[in-house]
Amino acid sequence: MTPRTGLRRRLVGANTLWIAVVLLVLIAVFGALRPDAVLTAFTLQTTLVETSVLLVLSVGMTYVIITAGIDLSVGSVLVFSGVTSAMTMNALHDGNATTAGWGVVLVGLLVALASGAAWGLVNGLLIARTGIPPLIVTLGSFGAALGAGQLISNGSNVAGVPDVLSDTLGTGTWFGVPNLVLLAAAVTAVGALVLGTTAFGRHTYAIGSNEEAARRAGIPVTRHLVRVYLLAGVLAGLAGFMALAYFRVASITGHDTDNLNAIAAVVLGGTSLFGGAGSVVGTVLGVFIPAVLRKGFVIVGVNVYWQPIAVALVLVAAVWLDQSRRRARDKR
Amino acid sequence: MALPLLDARELVKHYGNVEALRGASFTAHAGEVVALVGDNGAGKSTLVKCLSGVARPDSGTILLDGTPVVLDSPVAARALGIETVYQDLAVAPDLDPAANLFLGRELRRGGLLGKLGVLDKREMRRRAVASFHDLGVSLPDVDVPIGALSGGQRQSVAVARSVVWASRLVFMDEPTAALGVVQRERVLDVIRRVRDQGMAVVLISHNMPEVLAVADRVEVLRLGRRVARFDAATTTVEELVGAMTGALSQEDA
């Protein structure tokens, strides 16, 4: 038995392959309907840019869900981090950071990451130490982080984002590829490698598969869970900074369903809500299915309100497939 | 007789108002299979938990090679060469057999990659396949999640994992419970082989004929205390059952 055949069988057995097929079929169908509008560099570029922020959130969410957890707070943490970052940058530059330089931008980035890390740490400590279900803990921080962001910003969006940031990370490109997309791709690649090849990744799977077995095997489960939620928080902070750069404003609204979109993307990508199985590669595919549906519906002229319905159908089918696969396996 | 490898004396363990162990003692020597038997609720599982670091006794002493030890975690027990096959197996069903064998003790790659935590999956798989072969564990496929294997195969992997890592003592809590006839014999063979390497094997089982077939000695627990010790070669199932139910007792146990 060579590793190659093992790999091929694992691919066929995995949900990831089927999700990839679904995505390719979608692109092919839309492409066949409107080849002139769908398969263009512009469509590709805008689709990628619009999914970059969600992709970064979803990479963190993948780790969380593989531990059989959930993080409802990512969208609110994104808002909170954007607000603290923008307000810090403004404060450092006489109340308006539009003309500020790279030093201020760097401080803003660190504040965004630290804000995300703080919420991730709170989530992780509560979940790993107290045994309160992740759903409840992060439902709490979902409300609290948004409330805290609104308190700090007085309930309004924070403008004054440095131009040097918006013009580079926000809308700049590198050989035609948007910088925002490059950053998201780099985060995704690192996330995929760490999950797939390192002890950290292996322990993430083990905890989600059987927490008690992991504990008895000497894996520091509590510490590891804290780190996983910390990672999700830091990535939400980074996503907040990216959104800030792109939209030139730290927005209070518009992120109410980011958490659900990230969860949907992760689950669509074949990661099991029961934990123990999943991949970042699958999550990438899962992020693009709703995005391609939305873009495709707009281009071919289908009422765009069909998009959430179509996503819902695919999502429910994906979870159903996962469940029946597990049931068939565990019956033996 | 030589100094026992493991000598537990007068262990007491309460769970709330329930007294699971009331001064239980237990002895195991290197190079022997000692069976720990008792009726349901006699305290077998609690005793094994105390001796494998999963639970801490409220009082009593545990001597390893004559030295008092504190087993405050499974990791501490394993550092002393003590491994356990748990009744509920404690495997990760979504991971493959090699990953389960190396769970918590993953091999890293050399150099910088290893420092970054990158696993040497190929080497782990190679060693796992070799270990399964050595122990007579036959798996149809070493690249599938362990949850896709049969109950017996899963159990074989759990047994293999403890045996591979143990250096002095292996606890096996009902290791043959889920197995068919052929696989049961395989596990018993593994137990004998481990003993012949000079380790102590503690077998917890409800199957009295099996106990007498594989064990060198038998210790009987009843109501949280050791009530009898037997030499397996000269003991009958009736005597064991008598000791378990309280019909027969040895004052000096």
Side-chain angles (χ1 to χ4, degrees):
Chain A
M1 191 180 340
T2 67
R4 187 174 294 275
T5 60
L7 180 67
R8 193 169 60 205
R9 216 161 7 137
R10 244 178 305 169
L11 276 179
V12 174
N15 287 353
T16 315
L17 185 76
W18 302 111
I19 298 298
V21 169
V22 169
L23 183 60
L24 288 175
V25 166
L26 284 178
I27 294 171
V29 168
F30 288 127
L33 288 171
R34 285 289 306 278
D36 53 315
V38 171
L39 305 172
T40 65
F42 177 75
T43 306
L44 180 68
Q45 212 182 59
T46 49
T47 310
L48 288 173
V49 166
E50 287 161 12
T51 48
S52 292
V53 172
L54 181 61
L55 186 56
V56 170
L57 288 180
S58 303
V59 169
M61 187 69 81
T62 307
Y63 280 79
V64 169
I65 292 183
I66 287 176
T67 67
I70 200 87
D71 189 348
L72 296 177
S73 71
V74 288
S76 297
V77 172
L78 182 158
V79 169
F80 179 86
S81 306
V83 166
T84 53
S85 174
M87 291 189 68
T88 306
M89 290 191 286
N90 282 342
L92 286 174
H93 207 263
D94 299 331
N96 188 333
T98 314
T99 58
W102 284 108
V104 171
V105 169
L106 185 65
V107 173
L109 172 64
L110 293 177
V111 168
L113 295 179
S115 302
W119 284 106
L121 200 61
V122 169
N123 284 339
L125 287 174
L126 283 172
I127 289 161
R129 291 268 174 89
T130 68
I132 304 172
L135 186 79
I136 301 304
V137 169
T138 60
L139 185 62
S141 48
F142 166 70
L146 186 61
Q150 287 169 326
L151 271 178
I152 297 173
S153 71
N154 246 333
S156 56
N157 294 346
V158 183
V161 174
D163 285 335
V164 287
L165 174 62
S166 303
D167 294 342
T168 51
L169 178 63
T171 51
T173 61
W174 191 71
F175 290 107
V177 186
N179 292 332
L180 210 57
V181 174
L182 288 173
L183 179 57
V187 168
T188 306
V190 172
L193 281 174
V194 168
L195 185 62
T197 67
T198 68
F200 187 87
R202 175 64 59 82
H203 293 170
T204 305
Y205 284 108
I207 289 170
S209 188
N210 185 343
E211 190 175 324
E212 186 57 30
R215 191 167 277 125
R216 289 191 203 160
I219 295 171
V221 172
T222 305
R223 193 178 76 193
H224 193 87
L225 280 176
V226 172
R227 287 182 182 178
V228 166
Y229 283 92
L230 184 65
L231 174 71
V234 168
L235 289 179
L238 179 64
F241 191 73
M242 290 165 70
L244 183 82
Y246 182 64
F247 293 110
R248 294 176 183 257
V249 62
S251 174
I252 291 287
T253 53
H255 296 285
D256 308 340
T257 57
D258 279 7
N259 52 3
L260 301 181
N261 292 337
I263 293 167
V266 171
V267 174
L268 272 176
T271 295
S272 171
L273 279 172
F274 305 101
S279 69
V280 171
V281 176
T283 296
V284 174
L285 300 169
V287 166
F288 280 107
I289 285 178
V292 166
L293 276 172
R294 185 180 302 114
K295 205 82 180 168
F297 282 172
V298 170
I299 290 174
V300 302
V302 177
N303 186 334
V304 81
Y305 293 126
W306 281 105
Q307 187 262 1
I309 299 175
V311 171
L313 288 176
V314 182
L315 182 66
V316 171
V319 173
W320 181 63
L321 192 73
D322 176 45
Q323 267 183 350
S324 41
R325 218 164 46 102
R326 282 182 170 243
R327 212 170 293 140
R329 186 191 79 185
D330 293 342
K331 234 187 297 189
R332 297 189 47 180
Chain B
M1 203 177 236
L3 193 65
L5 174 66
L6 178 76
D7 192 3
R9 292 178 188 166
E10 297 289 319
L11 298 187
V12 175
K13 178 70 184 174
H14 297 267
Y15 288 109
N17 288 327
V18 181
E19 207 169 20
L21 294 180
R22 315 176 183 198
S25 297
F26 182 77
T27 315
H29 293 87
E32 74 169 0
V33 179
V34 48
L36 177 61
V37 301
D39 206 352
N40 288 339
K44 302 184 301 272
S45 291
T46 308
L47 180 58
V48 170
K49 279 183 186 160
C50 288
L51 296 178
S52 60
V54 173
R56 282 192 77 169
D58 299 322
S59 69
T61 51
I62 301 171
L63 305 177
L64 197 67
D65 281 333
T67 315
V69 290
V70 178
L71 305 172
D72 52 3
S73 72
V75 180
R78 292 188 327 188
L80 295 167
I82 300 172
E83 291 285 330
T84 309
V85 183
Y86 298 98
Q87 200 171 0
D88 55 5
L89 298 185
V91 293
D94 300 283
L95 301 182
D96 64 31
N100 269 288
L101 195 74
F102 284 90
L103 197 64
R105 300 186 247 229
E106 291 83 2
L107 300 178
R108 311 265 173 106
R109 295 264 280 271
L112 180 66
L113 286 177
K115 290 220 173 64
L116 291 171
V118 175
L119 302 174
D120 192 343
K121 292 184 183 175
R122 184 177 302 224
E123 178 64 11
M124 284 194 276
R125 185 179 183 280
R126 194 188 65 73
R127 287 202 205 170
V129 168
S131 298
F132 293 142
H133 181 262
D134 290 347
L135 294 169
V137 175
S138 67
L139 302 173
D141 193 337
V142 294
D143 291 314
V144 294
I146 203 171
L149 301 175
S150 72
Q153 289 159 349
R154 250 177 283 177
Q155 192 129 15
S156 305
V157 173
V159 169
R161 178 173 65 184
S162 63
V163 168
V164 163
W165 296 107
S167 59
R168 294 161 114 174
L169 197 153
V170 183
F171 288 103
M172 297 198 188
D173 196 353
E174 300 277 358
T176 60
L179 301 187
V181 178
V182 177
Q183 283 167 324
R184 175 184 297 249
E185 276 311 310
R186 285 243 176 90
V187 169
L188 297 184
D189 274 345
V190 169
I191 290 175
R192 293 189 187 99
R193 223 178 295 181
V194 172
R195 172 199 53 201
D196 294 343
Q197 288 170 12
M199 279 186 260
V201 180
V202 179
L203 174 68
I204 294 95
S205 176
H206 274 108
N207 184 329
M208 292 305 134
E210 178 180 296
V211 162
L212 291 180
V214 74
D216 301 303
R217 286 194 312 110
V218 185
E219 302 210 348
V220 184
L221 274 189
R222 184 165 177 275
L223 301 176
R225 295 182 61 86
R226 180 169 66 191
V227 294
R229 295 199 261 187
F230 295 104
D231 206 343
T234 58
T235 308
T236 62
V237 172
E238 285 71 26
E239 281 178 294
L240 292 181
V241 173
M244 283 163 63
T245 55
L248 180 156
S249 72
Q250 301 171 334
E251 289 306 320
D252 61 339

